[in-house]
Amino acid sequence: MVPSLDLSGRRILVTGASHDSDIGRAICVALAGLGATLVLAGRREDALQATRAELARSDAHVVSPIDLAEIDAIPGWIKQIAADGVLHGIVHAASFQGYSVLRGIDQAAFDRYFHLNVGAAILLGRGLRQKGVAGDGASLVLIGSVAGLRGQKGRTLYAASKAALTAATRSMALELASEKIRVNCVAPAVVHGRRAEEQFALLPAEQRAALDASHPMGYGAPTDVAGAVAFLLAPVSGWITGTTLPVDGGFTAQ
């Protein structure tokens, strides 16, 4: 019998779960629809509650506000969450995005990208491996980007942070394999939504046309990313670890 995508009885923590996060919200809707019980994490409780209200079995899910840029607090926070039940998965959808031309890069900008995009991801892995935290078949899924696989003009810090996620995925997967915890990364290309529209507004017409042409199947939808995440959390992907899965409509095939 082929394992299924059923997530019933599985408890999953999702960062970046605020209602105004296109991908994070779509992931929460998809996982709840597959039967998972969720812990929704982000900085703003009201935005998390708005996502929770939209989910199947909304009363079954909880919110847990946190500023993930304060990375030293993450392991203890996860331990507290696990006191109410083990975690079968963590999805790190929280991300700092934007453009960073070289002339404007400084330590503060570097820290903004790397604390949330990389540091928080690694500390989530550290938190998941603590005694009594991970349930059977636990899986950590990180949301990367094709920017970490191919260079993009004006996005040095974002691209570097997402490339670091790919490397961290491989190393954490090896370290956690003996504990039967899987680690994988999903790398989307451009996905329609509020953030994409904000970035489009910054681009001159010529650069926007080139971006359009770089997506052979057109731009994606948040649900495309959510489907890949659900696959990597579910039993059907139980022998997959240490991989980065592009979800990009052919962007990296060129």
Side-chain angles (χ1 to χ4, degrees):
M1 181 180 295
V2 177
S4 73
L5 283 173
D6 183 17
L7 295 173
S8 298
R10 301 182 75 77
R11 191 165 183 251
I12 297 170
L13 167 66
V14 182
T15 75
S18 298
H19 193 263
D20 54 359
S21 173
D22 301 310
I23 289 176
R25 174 178 166 272
I27 289 170
C28 292
V29 170
L31 300 184
L34 290 167
T37 300
L38 304 181
V39 180
L40 311 180
R43 288 179 300 163
R44 294 170 292 125
E45 182 170 359
D46 59 338
L48 297 174
Q49 292 288 4
T51 297
R52 178 175 175 264
E54 290 191 353
L55 302 182
R57 302 172 300 107
S58 60
D59 290 346
H61 314 293
V62 298
V63 303
S64 183
I66 185 174
D67 183 354
L68 289 164
E70 303 296 331
I71 61 175
D72 283 344
I74 291 175
W77 169 68
I78 290 179
K79 191 74 171 178
Q80 289 179 343
I81 290 171
D84 294 325
V86 296
L87 290 171
H88 301 93
I90 296 178
V91 182
H92 184 41
S95 178
F96 189 86
Q97 301 185 35
Y99 286 82
S100 54
V101 295
L102 287 173
R103 66 176 178 271
I105 293 175
D106 56 18
Q107 180 173 328
F110 184 92
D111 289 345
R112 281 195 297 272
Y113 282 93
F114 277 82
H115 278 196
L116 180 58
N117 295 2
V118 185
I122 294 171
L123 270 293
L124 286 167
R126 174 183 166 185
L128 185 59
R129 70 162 301 278
Q130 296 173 107
K131 184 177 181 180
V133 170
D136 292 341
S139 174
L140 172 61
V141 180
L142 310 175
I143 305 300
S145 169
V146 293
L149 306 176
R150 285 177 52 180
Q152 292 188 349
K153 184 178 179 180
R155 304 200 81 184
T156 296
L157 288 180
Y158 180 70
S161 69
K162 294 302 185 178
L165 269 190
T166 296
T169 293
R170 292 193 294 263
S171 294
M172 285 196 290
L174 292 175
E175 187 165 344
L176 296 177
S178 62
E179 301 180 44
K180 305 302 180 186
I181 297 174
R182 298 185 295 118
V183 185
N184 292 289
C185 181
V186 173
V190 175
V191 171
H192 274 300
R194 180 184 58 85
R195 287 186 177 178
E197 294 302 324
E198 290 173 353
Q199 291 173 14
F200 289 158
L202 300 173
L203 300 177
E206 182 178 342
Q207 195 170 345
R208 171 64 193 271
L211 188 63
D212 292 347
S214 69
H215 292 72
M217 294 184 68
Y219 297 129
T223 51
D224 295 319
V225 182
V229 170
F231 167 73
L232 289 171
L233 288 167
V236 70
S237 63
W239 206 44
I240 299 175
T241 194
T243 190
T244 293
L245 173 64
V247 180
D248 64 3
F251 181 91
T252 54
Q254 301 177 93

